[in-house]
Short mmCIF file of all heavy atoms in Angstrom, two decimals:
data_model
loop_
_atom_site.label_atom_id
_atom_site.label_comp_id
_atom_site.label_asym_id
_atom_site.label_seq_id
_atom_site.Cartn_x
_atom_site.Cartn_y
_atom_site.Cartn_z
N ALA A 1 16.04 -38.86 -59.19
CA ALA A 1 16.13 -38.40 -57.82
C ALA A 1 14.79 -38.17 -57.22
O ALA A 1 13.78 -37.94 -57.93
CB ALA A 1 16.95 -36.98 -57.78
N PRO A 2 14.70 -38.19 -55.93
CA PRO A 2 13.34 -38.01 -55.23
C PRO A 2 12.64 -36.83 -55.67
O PRO A 2 13.23 -35.73 -55.56
CB PRO A 2 13.71 -38.11 -53.78
CG PRO A 2 14.95 -38.88 -53.58
CD PRO A 2 15.84 -38.45 -54.95
N GLY A 3 11.42 -36.82 -55.98
CA GLY A 3 10.69 -35.70 -56.43
C GLY A 3 11.00 -35.14 -57.75
O GLY A 3 10.39 -34.05 -57.96
N LYS A 4 11.77 -35.79 -58.52
CA LYS A 4 12.28 -35.19 -59.87
C LYS A 4 11.96 -36.23 -60.94
O LYS A 4 11.61 -37.36 -60.66
CB LYS A 4 13.76 -34.96 -59.84
CG LYS A 4 14.12 -33.82 -58.87
CD LYS A 4 15.59 -33.45 -58.93
CE LYS A 4 16.06 -32.39 -57.98
NZ LYS A 4 17.50 -32.09 -58.14
N GLU A 5 11.96 -35.70 -62.08
CA GLU A 5 11.68 -36.48 -63.30
C GLU A 5 12.84 -37.38 -63.61
O GLU A 5 14.01 -37.15 -63.15
CB GLU A 5 11.39 -35.63 -64.49
CG GLU A 5 10.10 -34.81 -64.40
CD GLU A 5 9.91 -33.95 -65.66
OE1 GLU A 5 10.91 -33.89 -66.63
OE2 GLU A 5 8.75 -33.46 -65.83
N ARG A 6 12.52 -38.50 -64.29
CA ARG A 6 13.69 -39.38 -64.79
C ARG A 6 14.40 -38.75 -65.87
O ARG A 6 13.81 -38.33 -66.90
CB ARG A 6 13.12 -40.66 -65.20
CG ARG A 6 14.22 -41.83 -65.58
CD ARG A 6 13.42 -43.08 -66.07
NE ARG A 6 12.85 -43.81 -64.91
CZ ARG A 6 12.18 -44.89 -65.04
NH1 ARG A 6 11.92 -45.35 -66.19
NH2 ARG A 6 11.76 -45.53 -63.95
N ASP A 7 15.67 -38.66 -65.63
CA ASP A 7 16.54 -37.98 -66.62
C ASP A 7 17.50 -38.90 -67.38
O ASP A 7 18.06 -39.77 -66.70
CB ASP A 7 17.38 -36.80 -65.95
CG ASP A 7 16.46 -35.54 -65.48
OD1 ASP A 7 15.47 -35.40 -66.12
OD2 ASP A 7 16.87 -35.06 -64.44
N PHE A 8 17.89 -38.53 -68.59
CA PHE A 8 18.80 -39.30 -69.30
C PHE A 8 20.20 -38.95 -68.73
O PHE A 8 20.56 -37.91 -68.44
CB PHE A 8 18.69 -38.86 -70.84
CG PHE A 8 19.93 -39.39 -71.59
CD1 PHE A 8 19.95 -40.71 -72.09
CD2 PHE A 8 20.88 -38.53 -72.01
CE1 PHE A 8 20.98 -41.20 -72.83
CE2 PHE A 8 21.92 -38.95 -72.82
CZ PHE A 8 21.95 -40.30 -73.19
N VAL A 9 21.06 -39.95 -68.82
CA VAL A 9 22.45 -39.85 -68.22
C VAL A 9 23.45 -40.17 -69.36
O VAL A 9 24.27 -39.36 -69.67
CB VAL A 9 22.72 -40.85 -67.08
CG1 VAL A 9 24.09 -40.77 -66.71
CG2 VAL A 9 21.79 -40.54 -66.02
N ALA A 10 23.38 -41.21 -69.98
CA ALA A 10 24.26 -41.69 -71.05
C ALA A 10 23.84 -42.84 -71.85
O ALA A 10 22.97 -43.65 -71.43
CB ALA A 10 25.70 -42.02 -70.44
N ALA A 11 24.37 -42.95 -73.09
CA ALA A 11 23.98 -44.17 -73.80
C ALA A 11 25.11 -44.58 -74.75
O ALA A 11 25.97 -43.71 -75.07
CB ALA A 11 22.68 -43.76 -74.67
N ILE A 12 25.21 -45.74 -75.13
CA ILE A 12 26.06 -46.25 -76.02
C ILE A 12 25.48 -47.23 -77.07
O ILE A 12 24.54 -47.96 -76.90
CB ILE A 12 27.17 -47.05 -75.19
CG1 ILE A 12 28.30 -47.45 -76.04
CG2 ILE A 12 26.54 -48.33 -74.53
CD1 ILE A 12 29.66 -48.03 -75.23
N SER A 13 26.00 -47.16 -78.27
CA SER A 13 25.48 -47.96 -79.47
C SER A 13 25.84 -49.43 -79.14
O SER A 13 26.73 -49.74 -78.24
CB SER A 13 26.05 -47.54 -80.69
OG SER A 13 27.41 -47.68 -80.81
N TRP A 14 25.30 -50.49 -79.86
CA TRP A 14 25.63 -51.87 -79.64
C TRP A 14 27.14 -52.09 -79.99
O TRP A 14 27.70 -52.93 -79.22
CB TRP A 14 24.73 -52.69 -80.66
CG TRP A 14 24.97 -54.18 -80.45
CD1 TRP A 14 24.43 -54.93 -79.56
CD2 TRP A 14 25.93 -54.87 -81.17
NE1 TRP A 14 24.90 -56.30 -79.91
CE2 TRP A 14 25.85 -56.24 -80.72
CE3 TRP A 14 26.84 -54.59 -82.23
CZ2 TRP A 14 26.69 -57.35 -81.18
CZ3 TRP A 14 27.73 -55.61 -82.77
CH2 TRP A 14 27.57 -56.86 -82.24
N SER A 15 27.66 -51.41 -80.96
CA SER A 15 29.02 -51.68 -81.20
C SER A 15 30.04 -50.93 -80.22
O SER A 15 31.20 -51.21 -80.26
CB SER A 15 29.30 -51.14 -82.75
OG SER A 15 29.20 -49.81 -82.70
N GLY A 16 29.53 -50.03 -79.52
CA GLY A 16 30.32 -49.24 -78.68
C GLY A 16 30.99 -48.03 -79.33
O GLY A 16 31.73 -47.37 -78.72
N GLY A 17 30.75 -47.91 -80.70
CA GLY A 17 31.39 -46.85 -81.33
C GLY A 17 30.89 -45.49 -81.24
O GLY A 17 31.47 -44.51 -81.65
N SER A 18 29.68 -45.38 -80.63
CA SER A 18 29.07 -44.12 -80.50
C SER A 18 28.42 -44.02 -78.98
O SER A 18 27.73 -44.86 -78.49
CB SER A 18 27.82 -43.93 -81.46
OG SER A 18 27.21 -42.66 -81.30
N THR A 19 28.90 -42.76 -78.39
CA THR A 19 28.35 -42.51 -76.98
C THR A 19 27.84 -41.15 -76.87
O THR A 19 28.26 -40.26 -77.63
CB THR A 19 29.46 -42.78 -75.99
OG1 THR A 19 30.55 -41.90 -76.29
CG2 THR A 19 29.89 -44.26 -76.01
N ILE A 20 26.79 -40.96 -75.97
CA ILE A 20 26.35 -39.64 -75.81
C ILE A 20 26.14 -39.47 -74.26
O ILE A 20 25.90 -40.44 -73.47
CB ILE A 20 24.97 -39.32 -76.45
CG1 ILE A 20 23.96 -40.48 -76.17
CG2 ILE A 20 25.26 -39.13 -77.98
CD1 ILE A 20 22.52 -40.13 -76.81
N TYR A 21 26.25 -38.24 -73.76
CA TYR A 21 26.21 -37.95 -72.35
C TYR A 21 25.28 -36.72 -72.07
O TYR A 21 25.40 -35.78 -72.86
CB TYR A 21 27.64 -37.82 -71.73
CG TYR A 21 28.53 -38.96 -71.81
CD1 TYR A 21 29.37 -39.11 -73.02
CD2 TYR A 21 28.53 -39.95 -70.87
CE1 TYR A 21 30.17 -40.11 -72.96
CE2 TYR A 21 29.39 -41.03 -70.85
CZ TYR A 21 30.13 -41.21 -71.97
OH TYR A 21 31.02 -42.24 -72.04
N ALA A 22 24.70 -36.75 -70.89
CA ALA A 22 24.02 -35.58 -70.48
C ALA A 22 25.14 -34.58 -69.99
O ALA A 22 26.23 -34.90 -69.59
CB ALA A 22 23.14 -35.92 -69.33
N GLU A 23 24.78 -33.28 -70.31
CA GLU A 23 25.95 -32.37 -69.96
C GLU A 23 26.28 -32.32 -68.53
O GLU A 23 27.46 -32.06 -68.15
CB GLU A 23 25.32 -30.84 -70.33
CG GLU A 23 26.25 -29.80 -70.23
CD GLU A 23 27.38 -30.02 -71.31
OE1 GLU A 23 27.01 -30.47 -72.33
OE2 GLU A 23 28.53 -29.43 -71.07
N THR A 24 25.32 -32.63 -67.58
CA THR A 24 25.67 -32.65 -66.13
C THR A 24 26.70 -33.70 -65.77
O THR A 24 27.30 -33.63 -64.69
CB THR A 24 24.45 -32.88 -65.40
OG1 THR A 24 23.67 -34.14 -65.88
CG2 THR A 24 23.39 -31.68 -65.58
N VAL A 25 26.83 -34.69 -66.62
CA VAL A 25 27.87 -35.89 -66.21
C VAL A 25 29.08 -35.94 -67.15
O VAL A 25 30.05 -36.65 -66.96
CB VAL A 25 27.09 -37.21 -66.18
CG1 VAL A 25 25.94 -37.21 -65.23
CG2 VAL A 25 26.75 -37.59 -67.48
N LYS A 26 29.07 -35.12 -68.27
CA LYS A 26 30.09 -35.16 -69.30
C LYS A 26 31.43 -34.87 -68.61
O LYS A 26 31.62 -33.83 -67.78
CB LYS A 26 29.84 -34.17 -70.45
CG LYS A 26 30.65 -34.38 -71.63
CD LYS A 26 30.22 -33.37 -72.74
CE LYS A 26 28.86 -33.74 -73.10
NZ LYS A 26 28.45 -32.76 -74.24
N GLY A 27 32.43 -35.73 -68.83
CA GLY A 27 33.67 -35.57 -68.26
C GLY A 27 33.91 -36.32 -67.09
O GLY A 27 35.09 -36.48 -66.56
N ARG A 28 32.85 -36.66 -66.46
CA ARG A 28 32.91 -37.49 -65.08
C ARG A 28 32.50 -38.94 -65.26
O ARG A 28 33.05 -39.75 -64.61
CB ARG A 28 32.06 -36.75 -64.00
CG ARG A 28 32.47 -35.37 -63.72
CD ARG A 28 31.69 -34.82 -62.48
NE ARG A 28 30.23 -34.80 -62.79
CZ ARG A 28 29.37 -35.40 -62.14
NH1 ARG A 28 29.69 -36.22 -61.06
NH2 ARG A 28 28.00 -35.30 -62.32
N PHE A 29 31.48 -39.10 -66.07
CA PHE A 29 31.00 -40.50 -66.31
C PHE A 29 31.38 -41.09 -67.64
O PHE A 29 31.52 -40.27 -68.57
CB PHE A 29 29.42 -40.48 -66.31
CG PHE A 29 28.84 -40.15 -64.92
CD1 PHE A 29 29.64 -39.77 -63.86
CD2 PHE A 29 27.38 -40.35 -64.70
CE1 PHE A 29 29.09 -39.45 -62.63
CE2 PHE A 29 26.89 -40.13 -63.52
CZ PHE A 29 27.57 -39.69 -62.50
N THR A 30 31.60 -42.33 -67.69
CA THR A 30 32.02 -43.12 -68.83
C THR A 30 31.17 -44.36 -69.15
O THR A 30 31.13 -45.06 -68.20
CB THR A 30 33.39 -43.38 -68.89
OG1 THR A 30 34.29 -42.23 -68.73
CG2 THR A 30 33.81 -44.05 -70.21
N ILE A 31 30.57 -44.41 -70.19
CA ILE A 31 29.75 -45.66 -70.51
C ILE A 31 30.47 -46.50 -71.45
O ILE A 31 31.20 -46.07 -72.28
CB ILE A 31 28.42 -45.15 -71.17
CG1 ILE A 31 27.41 -46.44 -71.21
CG2 ILE A 31 28.46 -44.51 -72.46
CD1 ILE A 31 26.03 -46.17 -71.57
N SER A 32 30.45 -47.74 -71.29
CA SER A 32 31.13 -48.71 -72.00
C SER A 32 30.22 -50.11 -72.08
O SER A 32 29.35 -50.18 -71.26
CB SER A 32 32.55 -49.02 -71.51
OG SER A 32 32.52 -49.51 -70.19
N ARG A 33 30.76 -51.09 -72.93
CA ARG A 33 30.02 -52.26 -72.94
C ARG A 33 30.97 -53.38 -73.38
O ARG A 33 31.95 -53.14 -74.02
CB ARG A 33 28.83 -52.21 -73.79
CG ARG A 33 29.08 -52.15 -75.32
CD ARG A 33 27.82 -51.78 -76.11
NE ARG A 33 26.67 -52.75 -75.85
CZ ARG A 33 25.43 -52.66 -75.95
NH1 ARG A 33 25.12 -51.40 -76.33
NH2 ARG A 33 24.59 -53.45 -75.61
N ASP A 34 30.70 -54.53 -72.95
CA ASP A 34 31.39 -55.78 -73.35
C ASP A 34 30.41 -56.67 -73.74
O ASP A 34 29.68 -57.43 -72.95
CB ASP A 34 32.14 -56.33 -72.11
CG ASP A 34 33.09 -57.42 -72.35
OD1 ASP A 34 32.81 -58.11 -73.42
OD2 ASP A 34 33.92 -57.69 -71.71
N ASN A 35 30.29 -56.78 -75.04
CA ASN A 35 29.16 -57.67 -75.65
C ASN A 35 29.41 -59.07 -75.42
O ASN A 35 28.54 -59.96 -75.42
CB ASN A 35 29.11 -57.37 -77.16
CG ASN A 35 28.36 -56.00 -77.42
OD1 ASN A 35 27.66 -55.49 -76.58
ND2 ASN A 35 28.59 -55.55 -78.64
N ALA A 36 30.61 -59.50 -75.34
CA ALA A 36 31.07 -60.86 -75.08
C ALA A 36 30.51 -61.32 -73.73
O ALA A 36 30.12 -62.51 -73.44
CB ALA A 36 32.51 -61.19 -75.07
N LYS A 37 30.36 -60.45 -72.79
CA LYS A 37 29.85 -60.70 -71.46
C LYS A 37 28.35 -60.17 -71.28
O LYS A 37 27.84 -60.23 -70.23
CB LYS A 37 30.75 -60.02 -70.43
CG LYS A 37 32.11 -60.63 -70.41
CD LYS A 37 32.91 -59.95 -69.21
CE LYS A 37 34.38 -60.50 -69.14
NZ LYS A 37 35.24 -59.92 -68.13
N ASN A 38 27.81 -59.59 -72.40
CA ASN A 38 26.47 -59.11 -72.23
C ASN A 38 26.28 -58.03 -71.14
O ASN A 38 25.35 -58.14 -70.34
CB ASN A 38 25.51 -60.26 -72.23
CG ASN A 38 25.48 -61.04 -73.43
OD1 ASN A 38 25.61 -60.48 -74.59
ND2 ASN A 38 25.34 -62.28 -73.28
N THR A 39 27.20 -57.15 -71.03
CA THR A 39 27.17 -56.27 -69.84
C THR A 39 27.60 -54.85 -70.27
O THR A 39 28.44 -54.70 -71.15
CB THR A 39 28.26 -56.72 -68.80
OG1 THR A 39 27.95 -58.06 -68.38
CG2 THR A 39 28.20 -55.86 -67.63
N VAL A 40 26.80 -53.81 -69.72
CA VAL A 40 27.06 -52.49 -69.96
C VAL A 40 27.44 -51.80 -68.61
O VAL A 40 26.89 -52.23 -67.54
CB VAL A 40 25.75 -51.76 -70.48
CG1 VAL A 40 26.01 -50.32 -70.79
CG2 VAL A 40 25.41 -52.47 -71.86
N PHE A 41 28.47 -50.85 -68.62
CA PHE A 41 28.98 -50.36 -67.53
C PHE A 41 28.82 -48.86 -67.54
O PHE A 41 28.65 -48.25 -68.59
CB PHE A 41 30.52 -50.60 -67.42
CG PHE A 41 30.93 -52.06 -67.41
CD1 PHE A 41 31.22 -52.61 -68.55
CD2 PHE A 41 30.70 -52.84 -66.26
CE1 PHE A 41 31.60 -54.04 -68.69
CE2 PHE A 41 31.05 -54.15 -66.39
CZ PHE A 41 31.50 -54.75 -67.43
N LEU A 42 28.71 -48.32 -66.41
CA LEU A 42 28.79 -46.77 -66.22
C LEU A 42 29.76 -46.41 -65.11
O LEU A 42 29.46 -46.72 -63.90
CB LEU A 42 27.35 -46.26 -65.79
CG LEU A 42 27.23 -44.75 -65.72
CD1 LEU A 42 27.48 -44.09 -67.14
CD2 LEU A 42 25.98 -44.31 -65.13
N GLN A 43 30.81 -45.99 -65.52
CA GLN A 43 32.02 -45.55 -64.45
C GLN A 43 31.64 -44.15 -64.18
O GLN A 43 31.63 -43.24 -65.05
CB GLN A 43 33.31 -45.66 -65.15
CG GLN A 43 34.44 -45.18 -64.36
CD GLN A 43 34.59 -46.20 -63.13
OE1 GLN A 43 34.67 -47.33 -63.26
NE2 GLN A 43 34.87 -45.60 -61.87
N MET A 44 31.53 -43.94 -62.94
CA MET A 44 31.14 -42.69 -62.31
C MET A 44 32.14 -42.08 -61.46
O MET A 44 32.57 -42.66 -60.36
CB MET A 44 29.82 -42.71 -61.64
CG MET A 44 28.67 -43.26 -62.30
SD MET A 44 27.12 -43.17 -61.46
CE MET A 44 27.42 -44.46 -60.05
N ASN A 45 32.91 -41.11 -61.85
CA ASN A 45 33.96 -40.52 -61.12
C ASN A 45 33.53 -39.11 -60.60
O ASN A 45 32.61 -38.48 -61.08
CB ASN A 45 35.28 -40.36 -61.92
CG ASN A 45 35.82 -41.66 -62.44
OD1 ASN A 45 35.59 -42.69 -61.78
ND2 ASN A 45 36.41 -41.66 -63.61
N SER A 46 34.24 -38.65 -59.62
CA SER A 46 34.05 -37.22 -59.04
C SER A 46 32.52 -37.13 -58.75
O SER A 46 31.99 -36.14 -59.03
CB SER A 46 34.58 -36.24 -59.97
OG SER A 46 35.85 -36.31 -60.30
N LEU A 47 31.98 -38.11 -58.05
CA LEU A 47 30.62 -38.04 -57.69
C LEU A 47 30.29 -36.83 -56.72
O LEU A 47 30.99 -36.42 -55.92
CB LEU A 47 30.17 -39.36 -56.98
CG LEU A 47 30.09 -40.51 -58.03
CD1 LEU A 47 29.98 -41.84 -57.12
CD2 LEU A 47 28.82 -40.38 -58.81
N LYS A 48 29.12 -36.30 -57.07
CA LYS A 48 28.49 -35.15 -56.40
C LYS A 48 27.25 -35.61 -55.55
O LYS A 48 26.60 -36.52 -56.08
CB LYS A 48 28.26 -34.06 -57.23
CG LYS A 48 29.47 -33.51 -58.07
CD LYS A 48 29.05 -32.59 -59.17
CE LYS A 48 30.12 -32.13 -59.98
NZ LYS A 48 29.68 -31.06 -60.94
#
């Protein structure tokens, strides 16, 4: 954000079997990946 440090949000392993989230987004954001399409997604709900 403007004037702030870069913060971690979420991460996912290559296999997709392990995910971690920052406390501020847990329950609202979901990270996923589709290796067949070489794409990673971040679904953000209930945005503030």
Side-chain angles (χ1 to χ4, degrees):
K4 297 184 179 180
E5 297 181 346
R6 182 180 286 175
D7 293 327
F8 170 78
V9 176
I12 187 169
S13 63
W14 181 89
S15 67
S18 179
T19 59
I20 54 175
Y21 297 91
E23 190 66 28
T24 52
V25 306
K26 190 175 299 182
R28 298 188 298 120
F29 290 10
T30 302
I31 188 170
S32 62
R33 70 190 307 155
D34 185 341
N35 287 340
K37 298 181 179 180
N38 293 321
T39 304
V40 179
F41 305 97
L42 183 67
Q43 178 66 45
M44 305 184 293
N45 298 327
S46 301
L47 284 164
K48 306 174 181 179

